[in-house]
Amino acid sequence: MSPSDARLARDTTLAVLALVALRLVAAAWTPLTFDEAYYWMWSKHLASGYYDHPPMVALVIRLGTMIAGDTELGVRLVSILLALPMSWAVYRATAILFGSMRLAATATILLNVTLMAAVGTMIVTPDAPVLVASCFVLFALAKVLETGRGAWWLAAGAAVGAALLSKYTALFFGPAIAIWLVSVPKLRRWLLSPWLYFGGLVALAIFAPVIFWNADHQWVSFIKQIGRGRIEDFHPAFIAELVPTQVAFATPLVFILGAMGLYALLARNAGASAARVLISTTFWTIVVYFFWHSLHARVEANWFAPVYPAFAIAAAVAAHLVRWEVRTQRAVDFCRRWAAPVGILMFALLIVQADTGLLSGYRREATVRSVGVGWRELASQIEAVRVRLGATCVLAPDYGTTGWLAFYLPRGTCVVQPTQRIRWVNMPEPDPAQLTGKVLYVDEARALGPPLYLQNSYTRIERVAELPRKRGPLVIETYALDLLEDAKGEVIDHALPPELQ
């Protein structure tokens, strides 16, 4: 490595470390989202599968809380630190595929300043580990291309397997790799090599525990996720949401570079054929599916996480590998120069807004309900009411409220969602004795009181308090606390989920 390349690698490392440090500070300051609190409950009862997702997110949280405790930082710690191997993998993959350390450094920084990576690793969800695994898929495939050694297919299989343990969308890596091999003549020999299929077996072996868990639970997780792909109605209006959300998640300047890079890879012969086709197939195989999906249902912005490593590499290609006409080159240079500052600023403003509401003048916006601002204070008030009344358990109507209550109430407090029990199938059932006397039901205030099935389950119901959850002067929600007494019979609803009915 030349002195200039060594200096570039050092500067890139320092920049990534600084971005990770910024996320750690933001993570310690920002209350959990309801999904994070839900996944934190998973982490207390590790299993090889869950109703919503494979198990990797629970393992990531468990490792973090073993180090930093059951705190916001502890829940998010390992997810944020995963940005380090993610950055190494995308740096090495880019350097191998395009032979440029400068291009590799740019791809690494651009990936890290997207909101997909910055928020996606700070707010711990299945998207964080799948993003990291996706980088290692590209790295292993780049090594196959560079070395011609079949053993690297085992590494590729391991990376795909890790991605599958994170999120089911990683299944698209299979057809993407197949298209890559078929499209590049010199790579077709791998279709006849046992190494390719050994790699597939490695991925299958890593993913096998999830298959076994689903087999033991009526395939519910597979049915739930695959069911999202059914076409029942035609709603092309959802397509209109795709581009704006990805502009935001990529940040505008990175999005412009990425779009230009994808064009260059397809039409401008930017780089060697095998490298160009690998980035293009990895990106477009998943994106084409989501465009199809959006014809009938909403596609959430974070679902695109597996394509972001390829997108960042494409953005770096546009920034360094293509000579554009003069006016276009000026725009490219502007985007390259300001993409990182703009991305960092957007991340900082998003965290400030989510935690304080200051930027919107304390009015409602997208983050106000999903981030648990105000829950620590609300939970202390709920606990005071619970202790005063002698309630032995707290009931909640949904998994989000259940997660927040379990995290912010004192450890060991009985917190139960009596419905949708498939979500809690890996956890011990609550002690029936805790549900037969006095329990506290916590839900957003409604004039009708608790749902009918709870009204039929308890002899006496009394509204005992209404408490606000606030962000600054804004009341986000008002929660009603209803005291339920003397259960008539079974409180827990063990009905099958809709997917199995």
Side-chain angles (χ1 to χ4, degrees):
M1 183 182 294
S2 68
S4 61
D5 286 344
R7 184 166 56 253
L8 186 61
R10 181 201 64 200
D11 292 345
T12 304
T13 301
L14 291 175
V16 170
L17 289 172
L19 292 171
V20 167
L22 176 62
R23 291 171 206 162
L24 290 171
V25 172
W29 184 35
T30 305
L32 294 188
T33 66
F34 59 80
D35 277 342
E36 289 179 293
Y38 177 46
Y39 301 144
W40 168 78
M41 294 186 73
W42 288 6
S43 75
K44 298 302 175 185
H45 302 277
L46 293 178
S48 54
Y50 297 89
Y51 172 62
D52 306 80
H53 294 290
M56 186 66 82
V57 65
L59 180 59
V60 166
I61 293 174
R62 180 66 168 269
L63 292 173
T65 55
M66 289 172 63
I67 298 169
D70 290 317
T71 63
E72 286 89 348
L73 179 59
V75 169
R76 296 163 170 158
L77 178 62
V78 169
S79 178
I80 295 172
L81 294 180
L82 284 175
L84 300 177
M86 175 193 79
S87 300
W88 179 88
V90 78
Y91 184 95
R92 291 292 302 133
T94 309
I96 293 168
L97 291 172
F98 294 96
S100 169
M101 296 299 183
R102 186 172 64 149
L103 199 150
T106 299
T108 303
I109 297 301
L110 292 181
L111 177 59
N112 272 278
V113 299
T114 64
L115 294 185
M116 181 67 79
V119 178
T121 56
M122 192 203 90
I123 302 298
V124 55
T125 68
D127 298 306
V130 81
L131 185 61
V132 179
S134 299
C135 292
F136 277 91
V137 171
L138 287 178
F139 168 68
L141 295 176
K143 292 298 290 186
V144 169
L145 187 61
E146 178 190 40
T147 67
R149 294 179 57 193
W152 279 105
W153 282 112
L154 304 182
V160 172
L164 285 168
L165 287 183
S166 305
K167 209 164 186 180
Y168 295 127
T169 47
L171 286 168
F172 286 104
F173 282 121
I177 292 170
I179 294 170
W180 178 52
L181 296 179
V182 170
S183 301
V184 181
K186 71 176 183 178
L187 298 178
R188 291 173 189 163
R189 67 183 181 89
W190 290 115
L191 296 171
L192 301 177
S193 169
W195 286 108
L196 172 66
Y197 303 100
F198 289 155
L201 289 174
V202 169
L204 180 61
I206 292 173
F207 187 57
V210 181
I211 299 174
F212 295 147
W213 184 91
N214 272 273
D216 287 339
H217 296 87
Q218 299 175 273
W219 309 102
V220 64
S221 186
F222 290 167
I223 293 172
K224 172 182 167 59
Q225 296 298 339
I226 293 172
R228 291 181 170 181
R230 291 197 304 266
I231 289 227
E232 297 174 353
D233 298 300
F234 188 66
H235 295 296
F238 287 121
I239 292 179
E241 297 181 8
L242 287 184
V243 174
T245 57
Q246 293 313 307
V247 170
F249 267 59
T251 70
L253 300 186
V254 175
F255 184 87
I256 292 171
L257 287 175
M260 294 179 71
L262 290 169
Y263 163 76
L265 290 169
L266 289 174
R268 298 287 293 266
N269 294 326
S273 172
R276 288 188 290 109
V277 175
L278 175 59
I279 299 303
S280 296
T281 55
T282 304
F283 180 87
W284 288 111
T285 303
I286 298 176
V287 169
V288 166
Y289 166 76
F290 282 134
F291 267 94
W292 172 82
H293 187 104
S294 68
L295 292 175
H296 70 98
R298 177 171 286 107
V299 173
E300 301 296 337
N302 60 294
W303 294 1
F304 285 85
V307 308
Y308 265 69
F311 191 69
I313 295 172
V317 166
H320 294 297
L321 203 59
V322 181
R323 294 307 303 170
W324 307 92
E325 63 180 38
V326 175
R327 184 176 298 179
T328 304
Q329 187 64 50
R330 289 174 185 165
V332 168
D333 292 341
F334 176 86
C335 290
R336 183 182 69 241
R337 183 177 301 113
W338 291 102
V342 168
I344 294 168
L345 178 62
M346 288 181 65
F347 173 75
L349 292 177
L350 180 62
I351 296 302
V352 169
Q353 174 62 19
D355 284 326
T356 69
L358 179 65
L359 302 181
S360 65
Y362 303 106
R363 290 188 294 271
R364 290 181 178 274
E365 39 68 42
T367 66
V368 73
R369 287 178 64 89
S370 60
V371 179
V373 175
W375 256 103
R376 191 175 297 279
E377 297 77 12
L378 175 61
S380 67
Q381 297 176 62
I382 293 172
E383 175 65 5
V385 173
R386 186 193 70 81
V387 171
R388 175 171 57 84
L389 298 175
T392 55
C393 198
V394 179
L395 305 186
D398 55 70
Y399 75 86
T401 306
T402 302
W404 271 330
L405 285 166
F407 189 83
Y408 287 108
L409 287 175
R411 295 292 175 261
T413 302
C414 173
V415 178
V416 174
Q417 180 186 358
T419 57
Q420 296 183 323
R421 295 307 299 169
I422 189 64
R423 294 186 180 277
W424 316 103
V425 70
N426 297 318
M427 306 175 193
E429 283 287 294
D431 184 349
Q434 293 180 298
L435 304 177
T436 56
K438 294 181 178 181
V439 301
L440 202 60
Y441 181 70
V442 178
D443 191 9
E444 290 186 52
R446 295 179 175 85
L448 297 178
L452 183 61
Y453 80 91
L454 283 179
Q455 296 183 33
N456 293 333
S457 298
Y458 285 90
T459 303
R460 182 170 177 268
I461 298 176
E462 177 187 0
R463 177 72 47 92
V464 293
E466 291 190 1
L467 303 172
R469 176 165 81 95
K470 301 179 70 175
R471 186 177 70 179
L474 173 67
V475 175
I476 301 170
E477 297 131 341
T478 298
Y479 282 88
L481 277 61
D482 292 303
L483 182 66
L484 313 180
E485 296 186 73
D486 301 324
K488 300 175 183 178
E490 180 67 35
V491 174
I492 301 297
D493 181 4
H494 290 99
L496 291 174
E499 293 84 359
L500 299 180
Q501 291 179 3

